[in-house]
């Protein structure tokens, strides 16, 4: 009897989630990135694929917010700041990352941080743009290398 009750209830909840995602996708997407949706903007996915084709294994990409969480899935490359349970020294990287994106790190500290995490690229998309209060090109050694609509990839060169 538990199966007879569970199957209809689970089926209704799954149907509700599918209909909600379809409504979000057709009514708002891609002008608004839904907070709770499995869809990701095509421009952002294309930028992550660009990173996959250009970054070497062992090189990390600095990406914050949802970008840092999705990057390993789409690019098969390491993200500096991803899921909390999967990022080593998460609390330290979290605070330093947000200090960097808000312009609160000196150029020397920004360089030391990006070197310590082996960052080569910086990813900025609509999903993370609101978390940046500075232009990434103001970070010494950063240049724009890829742009596709609203997704941008910057290359960071340490100057070694």
């Amino acid at each position: 009897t538990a199966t007879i009750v569970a199957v209809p209830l689970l089926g209704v909840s799954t149907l509700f989630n599918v209909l909600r995602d379809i409504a979000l996708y057709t009514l708002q997407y891609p002008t608004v990135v839904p907070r709770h949706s499995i869809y990701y903007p095509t421009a952002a996915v294309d930028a992550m694929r660009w990173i996959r084709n250009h970054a070497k294994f062992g090189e990390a990409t600095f990406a914050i917010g949802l970008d840092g969480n999705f990057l390993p899935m789409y690019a098969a490359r390491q993200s500096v700041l991803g899921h909390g349970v999967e990022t080593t020294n998460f609390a330290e990287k979290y605070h330093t990352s947000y200090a960097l994106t808000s312009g609160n790190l000196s150029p020397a500290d920004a360089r030391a941080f990006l070197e310590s995490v082996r960052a080569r690229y910086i990813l900025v998309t609509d999903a993370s743009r609101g978390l940046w209060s500075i232009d990434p090109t103001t970070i010494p050694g950063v240049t724009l290398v890829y742009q596709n609509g609203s997704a941008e990839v910057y290359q960071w060169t340490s100057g070694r």
Side-chain angles (χ1 to χ4, degrees):
T1 54
T3 303
I4 295 170
V5 172
V7 170
L9 287 176
L10 292 175
V12 169
S13 67
T14 301
L15 180 62
F16 171 78
N17 288 326
V18 168
L19 292 175
R20 182 206 61 200
D21 284 349
I22 290 171
L24 285 172
Y25 183 76
T26 57
L27 298 176
Q28 298 176 350
Y29 188 79
T31 58
V32 175
V33 178
R35 280 191 70 202
H36 305 290
S37 177
I38 60 169
Y39 304 107
Y40 216 66
T42 302
V45 173
D46 289 343
M48 292 178 194
R49 289 180 179 141
W50 186 93
I51 290 170
R52 178 184 61 213
N53 292 327
H54 290 83
K56 298 174 186 165
F57 286 105
E59 294 175 331
T61 297
F62 181 80
I64 59 173
L66 288 176
D67 291 340
N69 293 338
F70 279 87
L71 180 72
M73 178 173 65
Y74 288 114
R77 297 295 183 269
Q78 181 181 353
S79 175
V80 171
L81 189 64
H83 294 285
V85 297
E86 296 176 351
T87 302
T88 57
N89 303 318
F90 177 79
E92 177 186 335
K93 286 180 183 176
Y94 179 88
H95 292 294
T96 307
S97 295
Y98 283 91
L100 174 67
T101 62
S102 63
N104 292 328
L105 285 185
S106 69
D109 289 341
R111 177 182 174 164
F113 173 65
L114 292 171
E115 282 180 350
S116 73
V117 296
R118 300 179 330 274
R120 180 172 182 205
Y121 294 109
I122 297 172
L123 174 66
V124 180
T125 72
D126 281 346
S128 64
R129 190 169 316 283
L131 303 173
W132 284 84
S133 58
I134 63 167
D135 180 350
T137 58
T138 61
I139 302 168
V142 172
T143 55
L144 181 66
V145 293
Y146 174 87
Q147 185 172 23
N148 179 8
S150 60
E152 300 161 349
V153 178
Y154 299 86
Q155 184 171 355
W156 180 74
T157 308
S158 65
R160 292 178 235 178

